[in-house]
């Protein structure tokens, strides 16, 4: 796996590199340099302005520098939303620091606004005193009219509370590329690289990696590659020479935040893809992905299709139903089978998931959740598929459910899902979401020796002797520990057996309509899931005297942990627990919930986990919910939790 990753970070003994100019020559900064412990930057522009690419490159260089970081890409669902309009704004927020951080940040310290729509869409998120870098070339009457501005905010005093830098990004880019031979329209497209160069100077980011990236990306168009490099260097040099930027900033590497090791920047979907490949290698099974493209899960299909060298086979089906059908067929054939989708696709796959429950075959169902119902908000995040994963099938069809807490944890979550699937012969839901899928953070590349042993033993011969003394193969004879049935690869002599959706007879696997047998099989399948071994949930309660417990799952981990830290800093006593296994719940969860007077459950839905906890443990779990398509802000969550604590104290 290490051959597939890049941008390592020396976490244990990182030294601050010398400042270099855009030509790679060491230079002592002529301007004042201020030290900061953290910065939140948001790049915003039209969906065609390359804000995601700009943010990705700044993130990659920040990761290679050694900062801890967290990102929040935010973009329209339309492939090309109307240019210059509020619905067409695309943004990328990056929070980086010299210490451990948990979220992309609540409010940007710096906003790069490529047009009026970008400024208007993001202005409300800026704290007073924030820096705004504005592309003044785009502030035409027509462009401002699209967002409802009759007078330019650059002229009417409405930005007086901010540090505004007026930069004609388009003009400066075109001027820098006047000798490139490119048409003006093509030259203008490089303005995002000019902005990236300027911010790279402003925060002392390395430059060599970005230049190498641009030359690789546009290898078939060397003229375009060189134009982007020139624009990038021009932006860096503009920051160095203009008087409008009198100060640059340094954020030291977060050396103490990471254990020693080799790190890289990784997104949730990429980590999940690597985890699936690692699971296949550790189990000795070929990896098969049956998938239909759907936002925000498609990146997993794209990534896995690149790794045929690891024995990965990917199938882009004609629809969601065909995708999971092919994956289930691959599971029957002895593969580590995976299907990836989002909420609408899960609805279409539900019948085949029920079939997988009946057949008792390992199958990973990866649901990258998004806003719903129906098509909903394809590019926005939500946690509203939990009850669908738990109960969204006909009949009694229990399925294990796990959820990673961070982008990096998607790697180990994939390994854990595979462990459960192959050991217990069951489909498993892995619930990620758009925030984790597209967001990124540093990830320590594990040594292969650290990965779990997932090797599988297939059935190889008869496993039952009849009353007449004949040795036969019973496909539903169970392991006494796991209740898993044998996994027999088709074509193995003597192991022929029936499959299908009609109820099976215990042991023989023959079709059965016997009432007592059906009752036994239903209860056995439930018992198999209930008896899955999962780790106990850990409680973070430093004071040991907290009366309030905040419980979360999935991607709310970062905001909840940041909020809890804020409350503790203010003197509050509060405990936190985060659930990775949602079905079955950890064995100690009930005792933990009952040991606190208050249980608060923040979720990006209308209270689905809280509903499950109330039903299972009869505790008064209080919901705090949000369904805006965006993750919680730490300050907002801290205030809400503190208010609940105060209300209960008053009573």
């Amino acid at each position: 796996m290490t051959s597939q990753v890049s941008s390592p970070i020396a976490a244990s003994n990182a030294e601050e590199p010398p400042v270099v100019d855009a030509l790679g020559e060491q230079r002592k900064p002529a301007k004042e340099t201020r030290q900061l412990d953290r910065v939140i930057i948001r790049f915003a522009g039209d969906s065609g302005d390359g804000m995601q690419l700009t943010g990705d490159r700044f993130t990659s260089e920040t990761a290679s520098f050694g900062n801890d970081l967290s990102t929040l890409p935010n973009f329209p669902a339309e492939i090309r939303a109307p240019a210059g309009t509020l619905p067409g704004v695309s943004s990328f927020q990056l929070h980086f620091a010299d210490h451990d951080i948990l979220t992309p940040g609540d409010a940007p310290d710096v906003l790069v606004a490529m047009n009026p729509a970008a400024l208007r869409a993001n202005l409300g998120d800026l704290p007073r005193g924030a820096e705004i870098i504005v592309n003044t070339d785009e502030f035409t009457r027509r462009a401002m009219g699209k967002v409802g501005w009759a007078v330019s905010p650059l002229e009417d005093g409405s930005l007086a509370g901010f540090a505004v830098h007026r930069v004609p990004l388009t003009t400066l880019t075109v001027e820098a590329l006047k000798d490139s031979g490119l048409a003006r329209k093509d030259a203008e497209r490089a303005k995002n690289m000019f902005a990236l160069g300027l911010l790279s100077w402003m925060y002392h980011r390395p430059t060599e990696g970005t230049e190498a990236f641009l030359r690789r990306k546009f290898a078939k168009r060397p003229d375009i590659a060189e134009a982007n490099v020139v624009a990038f260097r021009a932006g860096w040099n503009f920051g160095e020479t203009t008087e409008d930027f009198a100060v640059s900033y340094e954020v030291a590497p977060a050396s103490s935040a990471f254990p020693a090791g080799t790190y890289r920047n990784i997104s949730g979907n990429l980590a999940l893809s690597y985890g699936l490949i690692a699971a296949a290698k550790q189990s000795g099974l070929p990896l098969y992905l049956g998938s239909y493209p759907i936002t925000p899960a498609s990146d997993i299909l794209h990534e896995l299709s690149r790794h045929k060298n690891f024995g990965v086979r990917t199938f882009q089906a004609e629809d969601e139903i065909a995708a999971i059908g092919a994956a289930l067929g691959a599971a029957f054939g002895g593969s580590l089978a995976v299907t990836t989708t989002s909420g609408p696709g899960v609805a279409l796959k539900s019948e085949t998931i029920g079939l997988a429950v009946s057949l008792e075959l390992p199958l990973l169902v990866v649901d990258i959740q998004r806003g719903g119902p129906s098509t909903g908000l394809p590019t926005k995040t939500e946690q509203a598929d939990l009850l669908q994963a738990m109960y969204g099938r006909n009949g009694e069809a229990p399925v294990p459910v796990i959820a990673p807490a961070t982008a990096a944890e998607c790697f180990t979550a994939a390994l854990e899902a595979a462990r459960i699937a192959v050991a217990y012969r069951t489909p498993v839901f892995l619930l990620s979401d758009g925030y984790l899928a597209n967001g990124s953070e540093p990830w320590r590349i594990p040594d292969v020796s650290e990965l779990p042993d997932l090797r599988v033993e297939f059935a190889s011969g008869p496993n039952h002797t009849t009353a007449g003394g004949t040795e036969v193969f019973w496909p539903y004879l169970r392991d006494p520990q796991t209740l898993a049935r044998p996994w027999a690869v088709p074509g193995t002599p003597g192991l022929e057996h029936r499959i299908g959706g009609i109820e099976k007879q215990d042991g023989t696997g023959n079709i059965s309509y016997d009432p007592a047998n059906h009752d036994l099989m239903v209860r056995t399948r439930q018992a198999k899931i209930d008896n899955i071994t999962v780790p106990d949930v850990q409680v973070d309660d430093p004071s040991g005297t907290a009366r309030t417990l905040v419980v979360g799952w999935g991607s709310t981990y970062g905001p909840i942990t940041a909020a809890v830290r804020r409350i503790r800093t203010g003197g509050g006593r509060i405990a936190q627990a985060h659930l990775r296994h949602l079905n079955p719940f950890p064995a100690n969860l009930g005792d933990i919930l009952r040991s606190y007077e208050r249980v608060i459950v923040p979720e990006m839905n209308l209270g689905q986990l809280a509903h499950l906890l109330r039903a299972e443990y009869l505790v008064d779990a209080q919901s705090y919910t949000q369904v805006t398509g965006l993750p919680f802000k730490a300050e907002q969550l801290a205030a809400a939790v503190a208010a609940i604590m105060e209300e209960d104290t008053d009573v």
Side-chain angles (χ1 to χ4, degrees):
M1 294 298 297
T2 55
S3 64
Q4 301 301 314
V5 296
S6 59
S7 301
I9 300 174
S12 57
N13 296 303
E15 294 183 358
E16 190 174 333
V19 178
V20 296
D21 64 15
L23 299 177
E25 298 176 353
Q26 188 169 338
R27 177 186 299 180
K28 184 178 180 180
K31 299 182 179 181
E32 179 187 355
T33 300
R34 295 178 186 169
Q35 299 291 327
L36 301 174
D37 63 346
R38 67 181 187 92
V39 176
I40 303 169
I41 299 174
R42 184 181 296 176
F43 298 93
D46 192 71
S47 57
D49 284 339
M51 293 297 94
Q52 302 306 315
L53 175 62
T54 305
D56 282 340
R57 288 313 313 158
F58 196 93
T59 299
S60 293
E61 298 301 342
T62 297
S64 67
F65 186 75
N67 297 119
D68 194 12
L69 62 90
S70 180
T71 69
L72 178 62
N74 192 3
F75 44 89
E78 294 81 6
I79 294 175
R80 188 67 171 90
T85 63
L86 293 174
V89 173
S90 175
S91 68
F92 188 105
Q93 183 163 305
L94 167 68
H95 182 192
F96 62 101
D98 65 2
H99 57 276
D100 172 41
I101 58 173
L102 298 158
T103 74
D106 289 354
D109 302 304
V110 181
L111 171 67
V112 179
M114 303 297 281
N115 61 16
L119 179 59
R120 178 142 205 175
N122 294 283
L123 192 56
D125 292 338
L126 298 180
R128 305 301 285 182
E131 291 192 75
I132 304 175
I133 300 173
V134 179
N135 180 14
T136 56
D137 288 327
E138 296 297 321
F139 277 71
T140 64
R141 179 173 297 180
R142 183 170 181 269
M144 289 188 294
K146 288 183 179 182
V147 297
W149 274 336
V151 179
S152 172
L154 302 177
E155 308 297 338
D156 65 4
S158 59
L159 302 180
F162 306 100
V164 180
H165 303 277
R166 307 183 186 195
V167 182
L169 290 172
T170 307
T171 299
L172 291 171
T173 303
V174 171
E175 176 63 22
L177 299 180
K178 64 182 179 181
D179 298 325
S180 67
L182 296 180
R184 180 182 177 87
K185 185 176 181 180
D186 292 331
E188 289 179 356
R189 290 174 179 161
K191 63 181 180 290
N192 63 323
M193 288 298 105
F194 189 101
L196 178 59
L198 173 58
L199 269 292
S200 297
W201 170 84
M202 194 171 175
Y203 291 97
H204 294 233
R205 299 297 90 186
T207 60
E208 296 85 352
T210 294
E211 293 190 14
F213 167 83
L214 291 170
R215 292 194 169 98
R216 287 195 307 271
K217 180 176 178 62
F218 300 107
K220 295 182 179 179
R221 290 291 307 275
D223 56 334
I224 298 295
E226 192 58 29
N228 278 278
V229 169
V230 169
F232 175 69
R233 291 181 175 183
W236 198 99
N237 290 325
F238 177 77
E240 177 76 355
T241 58
T242 182
E243 295 184 2
D244 191 36
F245 292 88
V247 178
S248 64
Y249 305 93
E250 289 182 344
V251 180
S255 303
S256 61
F258 304 112
T262 300
Y263 287 75
R264 64 152 294 158
N265 181 50
I266 201 164
S267 68
N269 275 352
L270 184 57
L272 208 157
S273 300
Y274 287 168
L276 292 173
I277 296 172
K281 287 299 177 183
Q282 292 302 103
S283 64
L285 303 175
L287 179 62
Y288 183 94
L289 173 67
S291 182
Y292 179 75
I294 182 171
T295 302
S298 299
D299 287 342
I300 302 171
L301 171 61
H302 300 159
E303 182 61 33
L304 289 181
S305 66
R306 298 173 180 152
H307 296 290
K308 296 180 179 64
N309 56 313
F310 286 112
V312 178
R313 284 175 280 183
T314 54
F315 170 56
Q316 180 175 319
E318 64 269 28
D319 55 43
E320 296 279 6
I321 298 172
I324 191 173
L328 185 57
F332 178 61
S335 293
L336 180 61
V338 184
T339 189
T340 53
T341 189
S342 192
V346 173
L348 293 168
K349 295 177 188 291
S350 61
E351 183 179 6
T352 306
I353 297 172
L355 176 60
V357 171
S358 177
L359 299 183
E360 300 189 43
L361 287 171
L363 173 68
L364 304 188
V365 181
V366 178
D367 177 6
I368 312 298
Q369 300 166 95
R370 72 190 204 189
S374 189
T375 307
L377 306 173
T379 60
K380 311 301 179 184
T381 195
E382 203 162 274
Q383 287 184 298
D385 295 351
L386 176 55
L387 294 183
Q388 181 184 35
M390 289 285 291
Y391 303 121
R393 293 162 296 284
N394 65 295
E396 296 288 344
V399 173
V401 181
I402 68 173
T406 67
E409 194 178 282
C410 288
F411 177 84
T412 51
L415 286 161
E416 176 67 356
R419 177 190 74 85
I420 293 173
V422 299
Y424 294 88
R425 309 287 195 270
T426 178
V428 177
F429 261 100
L430 194 160
L431 294 181
S432 178
D433 61 44
Y435 170 38
L436 295 185
N438 297 315
S440 60
E441 63 180 355
W443 171 60
R444 187 182 70 84
I445 302 170
D447 190 89
V448 174
S449 63
E450 301 172 27
L451 303 181
D453 184 353
L454 304 178
R455 283 175 292 183
V456 176
E457 290 188 13
F458 290 107
S460 57
N463 60 359
H464 180 74
T465 303
T466 66
T470 304
E471 291 187 338
V472 297
F473 175 67
W474 275 15
Y476 281 82
L477 191 67
R478 300 183 182 279
D479 180 284
Q481 299 299 320
T482 64
L483 299 182
R485 77 175 186 89
W487 194 0
V489 176
T492 305
L495 304 190
E496 297 84 359
H497 60 283
R498 292 186 179 91
I499 62 170
I502 297 178
E503 184 63 281
K504 315 296 186 299
Q505 184 182 52
D506 181 41
T508 69
N510 295 331
I511 292 174
S512 174
Y513 292 94
D514 178 65
N517 178 78
H518 179 57
D519 185 271
L520 173 64
M521 294 295 279
V522 168
R523 295 180 187 278
T524 300
R525 287 189 289 260
Q526 183 65 58
K528 180 171 67 170
I529 305 306
D530 292 342
N531 292 335
I532 291 173
T533 301
V534 302
D536 282 347
V537 64
Q538 301 298 312
V539 179
D540 176 24
D541 186 0
S543 71
T545 59
R547 296 189 297 167
T548 299
L549 174 69
V550 182
V551 179
W553 69 278
S555 68
T556 56
Y557 172 77
I560 289 175
T561 306
V564 166
R565 286 182 181 178
R566 294 187 184 206
I567 292 172
R568 289 174 181 164
T569 300
R573 292 176 296 175
I574 188 168
Q576 177 189 0
H578 207 78
L579 298 179
R580 188 186 200 188
H581 294 84
L582 299 162
N583 192 33
F585 285 129
N588 67 333
L589 180 58
D591 290 339
I592 287 174
L593 294 175
R594 286 185 285 268
S595 66
Y596 289 89
E597 295 180 13
R598 288 176 295 275
V599 176
I600 304 172
V601 187
E603 297 181 77
M604 293 188 294
N605 55 48
L606 295 183
Q608 296 186 16
L609 176 60
H611 174 84
L612 293 175
L613 296 180
R614 291 190 196 106
E616 182 72 17
Y617 301 108
L618 302 180
V619 296
D620 184 21
Q622 300 180 58
S623 287
Y624 180 75
T625 63
Q626 171 178 295
V627 281
T628 61
L630 294 169
F632 286 109
K633 293 182 177 180
E635 183 177 0
Q636 158 210 357
L637 194 52
V641 171
I644 294 173
M645 295 169 65
E646 289 175 6
E647 288 175 5
D648 290 347
T649 301
D650 293 340
V651 172

